[in-house]
Amino acid sequence: MASNNKTSARDETASKRLRYNPLRPQHAPLAQATDTRRATARRLHVEMLEFLREVEPTQCSRRHRDEIVEQVKAAVAASCPDASVEVYGSYATDLFLAHSDVDLLVMHAQPSKSKSPLQVVSEHLRGMTWCRYIKTIETILVPVVKVTADVSLLDSARSVAEDKQIQHADAKDEEQRACIAVDVTFDCNIGDAPLRLRDFVCEQLKRFPIIRPLVLVLKHLLFKQGLNDYYKGGLSSHSVVLLLIFYFSIPEVAAAHEAGLDKESDGYIDEGCWYGEWLMRLMQWLSEFPFSDVGIAVEPMSYVPLTDYGYGMLIKGECDPDLPDVDTSGKGGGRGVEGNVLHIEDPFNKDPVDPTKPSNIAQGCFEWYLVRRCLQGSFRILSNHKEPAPHMRIFGGVAESPSPLASILDRTQVTSSVAALLKEQADKRVLPRAGM
């Protein structure tokens, strides 16, 4: 009993040793972390490895997408001979999942006398046998043709069906999704910005390989919550990637990443905890960063004050942990900003209203408040997870705890965690009665 009390006191002391500042995020070395924290990080690492094996694109998946790209290129060549088609987004950067769409950019397309390039290309795509659904959206800043491709009608699907060996090897993929979404955008207002962003992301992935597994987990988490569709107000894949690139570009995080790889450093992170520890650190930053008051710029890395509160935070160098998140009431509790605020400056695209300023790539994320609550609820699950030590499971008869990764990917559990979090925050803001 005395031993348990000492362990609990040691864990509590270690957890309070370093106050977390999301503007300059620092963590105690993993070797000094609590036993629970290390055990949770180790289990998360193992579960993330299994998750990555399950979502890793298969030969069939790549073959289907390659054929779709070639079919769209053929349709564009037939309708707009002077145009070219480039692949960008998650497929080009190898950050796609089974439910991810294929992003294509049509460049230098010239309009005809009576129809725009979007209308001409959409007519050709509508005649494709594999095109199950097509919708054109011309009223937004970046015109897009949204296509749903029926995988079973692709030539690559027929060839797979004939090859029994490949069919058996890719049984899990054939196809977990019967359709693949395709977004064909046009460069009339954005130029080659998506291509420069694609190349920038590829460079950063080489610099920080840890970004890829973290992006895939976050994308799947948002997909499970129905918050990943940019055209429905969700957080786009581009925004997720830029958030992570920014996070690892913060000097303190970049230094911790370098130290985590150095076995001689005090900040070394054991290989068996690598993915899990960084997922927990990232989720804490996403949960506590004052996005309502401070925006981010990726290239070069810098903070952007959005409110007077944000300006004060940057002057002081730390944020106020007691300042509540802006809700959806409209004016952010008198802080002069709208309820759903996420500001991520696009390093390669200018604001259409004010060309002297970078555009906000997350401007369309009007469900950011829900996204933020989802991330906070997920971090609450991870931070409250109690992983018993191996010897307690083997010799002490302690049952294995629920999977932490499966818990944050479960919509019901995240919703329950968010509800509990909101109640905790409300209880903290309740003033005591007079005389109490």
Side-chain angles (χ1 to χ4, degrees):
M1 187 67 177
S3 176
N4 291 339
N5 292 336
K6 291 181 180 180
T7 301
S8 177
R10 184 174 65 251
D11 285 359
E12 183 178 357
T13 301
S15 64
K16 293 182 178 179
R17 190 173 299 163
L18 187 65
R19 177 182 174 181
Y20 187 74
N21 176 15
L23 294 177
R24 302 181 62 182
Q26 299 182 55
H27 294 267
L30 186 61
Q32 300 177 13
T34 65
D35 295 339
T36 299
R37 171 69 176 237
R38 289 198 299 271
T40 301
R42 188 174 300 278
R43 183 169 181 187
L44 268 175
H45 177 86
V46 174
E47 292 181 348
M48 286 182 65
L49 288 175
E50 180 62 28
F51 169 80
L52 294 173
R53 281 192 289 268
E54 291 180 359
V55 302
E56 188 67 26
T58 62
Q59 183 179 358
C60 286
S61 179
R62 295 184 183 277
R63 188 179 300 179
H64 296 331
R65 286 168 169 77
D66 287 342
E67 182 181 349
I68 290 173
V69 171
E70 294 304 317
Q71 293 274 7
V72 173
K73 287 183 176 180
V76 172
S79 55
C80 303
D82 296 331
S84 61
V85 179
E86 295 286 345
V87 185
Y88 71 101
S90 61
Y91 185 51
T93 56
D94 198 27
L95 294 173
F96 71 98
L97 297 170
H99 54 77
S100 299
D101 56 10
V102 177
D103 296 305
L104 301 174
L105 177 66
V106 179
M107 304 182 65
H108 313 303
Q110 300 298 321
S112 63
K113 294 181 179 180
S114 59
K115 297 180 180 179
S116 67
L118 180 142
Q119 293 171 335
V120 176
V121 171
S122 63
E123 289 179 358
H124 277 77
L125 291 174
R126 190 172 281 107
M128 298 285 187
T129 57
W130 48 266
C131 180
R132 175 182 291 185
Y133 170 83
I134 186 168
K135 179 181 180 181
T136 59
I137 306 177
E138 297 187 72
T139 56
I140 57 177
L141 178 63
V142 182
V144 60
V145 180
K146 299 185 74 65
V147 181
T148 301
D150 189 331
V151 171
S152 64
L153 298 178
L154 294 172
D155 292 338
S156 57
R158 300 190 188 101
S159 64
V160 169
E162 296 172 359
D163 191 334
K164 301 299 183 182
Q165 183 176 358
I166 295 180
Q167 184 182 28
H168 176 71
D170 291 344
K172 71 169 184 177
D173 175 76
E174 193 46 45
E175 170 121 326
Q176 293 177 345
R177 296 179 57 81
C179 298
I180 296 177
V182 185
D183 287 346
V184 183
T185 56
F186 292 76
D187 67 341
C188 56
N189 291 320
I190 56 176
D192 64 346
L195 306 184
R196 288 187 288 161
L197 180 59
R198 174 198 64 190
D199 297 338
F200 171 73
V201 169
C202 290
E203 291 176 2
Q204 296 303 311
L205 289 174
K206 293 179 181 178
R207 181 185 176 194
F208 299 110
I210 183 63
I211 289 179
R212 183 176 186 269
L214 296 176
V215 165
L216 295 180
V217 169
L218 280 182
K219 288 179 63 173
H220 197 63
L221 168 63
L222 294 173
F223 171 73
K224 288 289 188 179
Q225 297 293 324
L227 296 170
N228 66 315
D229 191 340
Y230 174 79
Y231 293 98
K232 295 181 180 179
L235 189 63
S236 69
S237 175
H238 299 331
S239 297
V240 171
V241 174
L242 289 182
L243 277 171
L244 266 73
I245 290 176
F246 178 87
Y247 173 70
F248 281 97
S249 299
I250 299 173
E252 289 79 7
V253 179
H257 178 271
E258 183 177 355
L261 296 170
D262 184 3
K263 293 184 178 181
E264 303 299 324
S265 170
D266 292 338
Y268 174 69
I269 300 176
D270 186 87
E271 294 179 359
C273 302
W274 182 251
Y275 287 168
E277 177 63 15
W278 278 115
L279 178 62
M280 296 182 72
R281 293 185 181 189
L282 173 67
M283 295 300 288
Q284 182 174 5
W285 181 76
L286 290 172
S287 299
E288 300 186 20
F289 188 86
F291 289 105
S292 298
D293 300 288
V294 180
I296 63 174
V298 179
E299 182 66 13
M301 177 265 169
S302 63
Y303 294 114
V304 182
L306 303 179
T307 66
D308 291 341
Y309 284 91
Y311 184 78
M313 292 178 192
L314 297 181
I315 292 296
K316 190 177 180 181
E318 61 180 346
C319 64
D320 183 358
D322 296 325
L323 190 65
D325 276 345
V326 175
D327 57 24
T328 55
S329 60
K331 289 299 179 181
R335 286 150 70 183
V337 292
E338 294 297 328
N340 289 301
V341 174
L342 176 61
H343 186 94
I344 306 175
E345 291 191 353
D346 188 336
F348 305 108
N349 204 9
K350 299 298 182 182
D351 191 313
V353 178
D354 186 355
T356 63
K357 298 180 180 179
S359 66
N360 177 13
I361 200 171
Q363 186 174 3
C365 184
F366 54 81
E367 288 192 339
W368 167 245
Y369 182 74
L370 297 178
V371 174
R372 180 66 181 271
R373 287 307 186 194
C374 166
L375 296 173
Q376 291 174 333
S378 299
F379 174 65
R380 183 180 180 275
I381 291 175
L382 295 180
S383 59
N384 290 339
H385 181 79
K386 303 298 181 183
E387 184 68 22
H391 71 276
M392 293 298 295
R393 295 200 304 269
I394 298 173
F395 303 109
V398 178
E400 186 176 39
S401 60
S403 163
L405 185 60
S407 297
I408 67 172
L409 296 179
D410 183 88
R411 185 167 189 168
T412 302
Q413 293 193 52
V414 172
T415 302
S416 300
S417 179
V418 170
L421 176 65
L422 293 176
K423 185 179 184 303
E424 292 171 1
Q425 293 177 345
D427 292 342
K428 288 181 180 179
R429 291 196 290 268
V430 173
L431 298 177
R433 297 178 180 178
M436 291 185 64

